[in-house]
């Protein structure tokens, strides 16, 4: 009987299931979008029950489409939108409030109150005091949903990010765990001791009885209950989406770096088995835990990447399909002096300014939609270059090659812009599904489906590469204009 790996890819706007063979080829897939909830400006929520329903719906559909059943699945791997926060009743499984999404900025006040403790937070977690992370979101639910704090302190409620929620539900409430790569994004987890930290929980008044057990990213957590997929399937891999993408891109050596162009843009650099502190606005994070060893990474997080192209499509109605952005942008030679700063929900790394909002500069009477589209694409490359520069400064090492994945990585014009603006070679593999592949590889390693990392490296085949075509002077000039636009954006919102 042929055996495959099922990868559950629970993203910010949709739930997907992809079934892979040993070579990393897609055998079957299914995808369902779910509701985006915006109760107030800067607030973003999801219905955790809808996330569960869409994720399981796609798993069943992917099996059905391929004519497979649970016997054909060697293991399940999970990758997920990180930092998104759920609290639920441990007896009924009912969430006490909507999931608060990683993009949500409602807890900016909580983060501000933590600023005096930021050195401690950074030393223990590698993170900054920012509303991006789960800890402040969990504190908000405890403080603002009636009766929740008392129930939590009585041991009636559980906390989890998305992978914790899915594993708990898939095992019928038997297993409450969080893998290291997700736990380290909560601002409650010490990445040096690999434990929840009492002092950090105390700063946010979090009852520690709510927290899941921390586990490696490749291990047997439990089996699915019979009624979900027809029989028990071992759940053996779990990693937050960006760490899964780093793994899926086979960035196994210190110095390997990848960029995922998704809803946001995330750049991760493998720093080996020791955490590297950042002095340039990056995060120090756990990449994965595997075979008793932890691999660390430096990460730069940009909140708006593909979402900026969606904005052009859905709000400005510049085109009907995101793919048209490349065609429109190539109709003009440059952006006509236009700079777009897509700070729709604040600025992430390396600026960390939650109050900034989007802005456009350099518009003239001759500015056309093509210029604006090109400026938006350029902004994605500029943001990435900010992160690459910060990584070079933190490590003292040059970065010569950048591996890329995510939907916008298929935009050849954007990839050439990135090569030109950053002065690096860009490598795009045949499969840009590195996030779900990473989860599949982690799951497969735990059950012997893959014997070693060498099996994964052998699967990677380059589809296209891009090399710089501009001068150093041109690069500096473009980045100077970008930094001028960012500084003006920040200044405007500080008035």
């Amino acid at each position: 009987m042929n055996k495959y790996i099922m990868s559950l890819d629970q993203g910010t706007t949709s739930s997907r299931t992809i079934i892979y063979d040993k070579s990393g080829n897609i055998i079957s897939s299914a995808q369902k979008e779910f509701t985006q909830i915006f109760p107030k400006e800067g607030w973003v929520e999801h219905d955790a029950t809808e996330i569960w329903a869409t994720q399981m719906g796609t798993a069943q559909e992917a099996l059905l489409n391929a004519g497979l059943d649970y016997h054909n699945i060697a293991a399940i791997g999970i990758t997920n939108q990180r930092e998104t926060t759920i609290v639920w009743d441990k007896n009924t499984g009912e969430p006490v409030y909507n999931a608060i999404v990683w993009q949500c900025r409602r807890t900016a006040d909580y983060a501000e109150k933590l600023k005096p403790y930021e050195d401690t937070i950074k030393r223990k977690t590698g993170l900054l005091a920012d509303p991006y992370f789960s800890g402040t979101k969990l504190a908000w639910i405890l403080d603002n949903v009636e009766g929740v704090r008392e129930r939590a302190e009585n041991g009636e409620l559980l906390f989890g990010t998305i992978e914790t929620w899915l594993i708990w539900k898939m095992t019928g409430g038997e297993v409450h765990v969080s893998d290291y790569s997700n736990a380290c994004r909560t601002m409650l987890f010490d990445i040096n001791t690999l434990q929840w930290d009492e002092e950090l929980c105390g700063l946010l008044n979090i009852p520690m009885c709510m927290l899941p057990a921390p586990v490696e990213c490749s291990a047997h957590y439990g089996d699915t209950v019979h009624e979900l997929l027809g029989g028990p399937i071992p759940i053996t891999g779990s990693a937050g989406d960006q760490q899964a993408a780093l793994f899926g891109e086979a960035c196994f050596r210190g110095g390997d770096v990848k960029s995922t162009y998704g809803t946001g843009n995330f750049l991760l650099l493998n720093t080996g088995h020791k955490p590297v502190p950042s002095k340039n606005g990056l995060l120090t994070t756990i990449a994965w835990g595997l075979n008793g060893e932890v691999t660390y990474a430096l990460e730069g997080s940009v909140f708006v990447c593909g979402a900026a192209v969606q904005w052009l499509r859905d709000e400005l109605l510049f085109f009907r399909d995101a793919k048209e952005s490349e065609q429109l942008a190539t109709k003009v030679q440059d952006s006509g002096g236009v700079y777009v700063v897509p700070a729709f929900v604040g600025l992430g790394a390396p600026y960390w300014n939650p109050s900034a909002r989007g802005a456009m500069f350099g518009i003239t009477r001759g500015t056309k939609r093509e210029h604006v589209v090109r400026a938006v694409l350029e902004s994605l490359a500029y943001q990435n270059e900010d992160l690459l520069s910060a990584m070079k400064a933190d490590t003292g090492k040059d970065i010569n090659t950048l591996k890329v994945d995510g939907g916008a990585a298929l935009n050849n014009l954007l990839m050439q812009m990135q090569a030109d603006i950053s002065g690096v070679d860009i490598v795009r593999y045949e499969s840009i599904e590195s996030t779900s592949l990473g989860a599949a590889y982690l799951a497969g390693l735990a059950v012997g489906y893959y014997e070693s990392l060498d099996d994964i490296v052998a699967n990677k085949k380059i589809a296209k590469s891009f090399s710089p075509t501009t001068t150093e002077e041109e690069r500096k000039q473009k980045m100077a204009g970008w930094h001028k636009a960012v500084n003006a954006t920040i200044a405007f919102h500080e008035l």
Side-chain angles (χ1 to χ4, degrees), residues 69-71 76 223-234:
D69 67 20
Y70 76 96
H71 293 102
I76 293 175
D223 296 341
T224 60
V225 292
H226 178 89
E227 57 268 23
L228 277 182
L229 300 169
I233 303 174

Side-chain angles (χ1 to χ4, degrees), residues 163-415:
E163 89 297 349
T164 299
W165 168 244
L166 292 177
I167 293 169
W168 190 87
K169 294 282 282 181
M170 290 166 73
T171 59
E174 290 295 314
V175 180
H176 185 222
V177 296
S178 178
D179 73 82
Y180 294 158
S181 74
N182 277 292
C184 75
R185 309 296 295 190
T186 60
M187 216 164 60
L188 305 171
F189 188 77
D190 190 322
I191 62 172
N192 307 288
T193 65
L194 307 179
Q195 297 294 328
W196 300 110
D197 188 85
E198 192 171 347
E199 181 184 10
L200 298 174
C201 290
L203 290 176
L204 285 165
N205 200 13
I206 306 293
M208 295 184 75
C209 59
M210 302 179 72
L211 305 178
V215 292
E216 288 194 352
C217 298
S218 181
H220 184 205
Y221 312 126
D223 296 341
T224 60
V225 292
H226 178 89
E227 57 268 23
L228 277 182
L229 300 169
I233 303 174
I235 308 164
T236 59
S238 177
D241 51 10
Q242 301 315 317
Q243 292 98 324
L246 190 70
F247 201 85
E249 289 281 3
C251 292
F252 301 141
R253 298 171 304 176
D256 285 351
V257 60
K258 72 88 197 173
S259 182
T260 297
Y261 298 79
T263 304
N265 176 242
F266 299 89
L267 200 74
L268 269 75
L269 170 72
N270 183 328
T271 60
H273 298 308
K274 288 186 179 178
V276 174
S278 175
K279 296 178 180 176
N280 295 279
L282 300 175
L283 306 175
T284 303
T285 199
I286 293 176
W288 50 77
L290 181 66
N291 298 329
E293 278 193 322
V294 172
T295 297
Y296 293 88
L298 278 173
E299 174 175 328
S301 312
V302 169
F303 298 140
V304 173
C305 178
V309 179
Q310 291 169 343
W311 167 69
L312 293 175
R313 181 192 67 193
D314 299 339
E315 271 68 48
L316 299 192
L317 306 179
F318 275 11
F319 40 77
R320 290 185 178 181
D321 190 316
K323 292 174 185 173
E324 294 174 53
S325 62
E326 182 176 1
Q327 298 159 15
L328 279 170
T330 53
K331 289 183 178 179
V332 288
Q333 289 224 309
D334 53 41
S335 63
V338 175
Y339 282 87
V340 175
V341 182
F344 302 150
V345 289
L347 287 167
Y351 305 101
W352 296 107
N353 188 313
S355 60
R357 290 296 177 267
M360 194 182 304
F361 299 93
I363 305 168
T364 68
R365 181 62 183 82
T367 299
K368 300 186 289 189
R369 66 172 179 159
E370 287 86 352
H371 292 118
V372 175
V373 172
R374 192 174 182 110
V376 165
L377 293 180
E378 283 182 344
S379 78
L380 311 186
Y382 291 140
Q383 290 180 111
N384 224 12
E385 170 53 21
D386 278 339
L387 303 180
L388 282 168
S389 293
M391 286 180 176
K392 290 176 194 173
D394 276 338
T395 62
K397 295 177 182 176
D398 284 337
I399 294 169
N400 300 315
T401 303
L402 177 65
K403 299 178 181 181
V404 298
D405 64 284
L410 290 172
N411 186 317
N412 289 332
L413 175 63
L414 173 57
M415 293 302 98

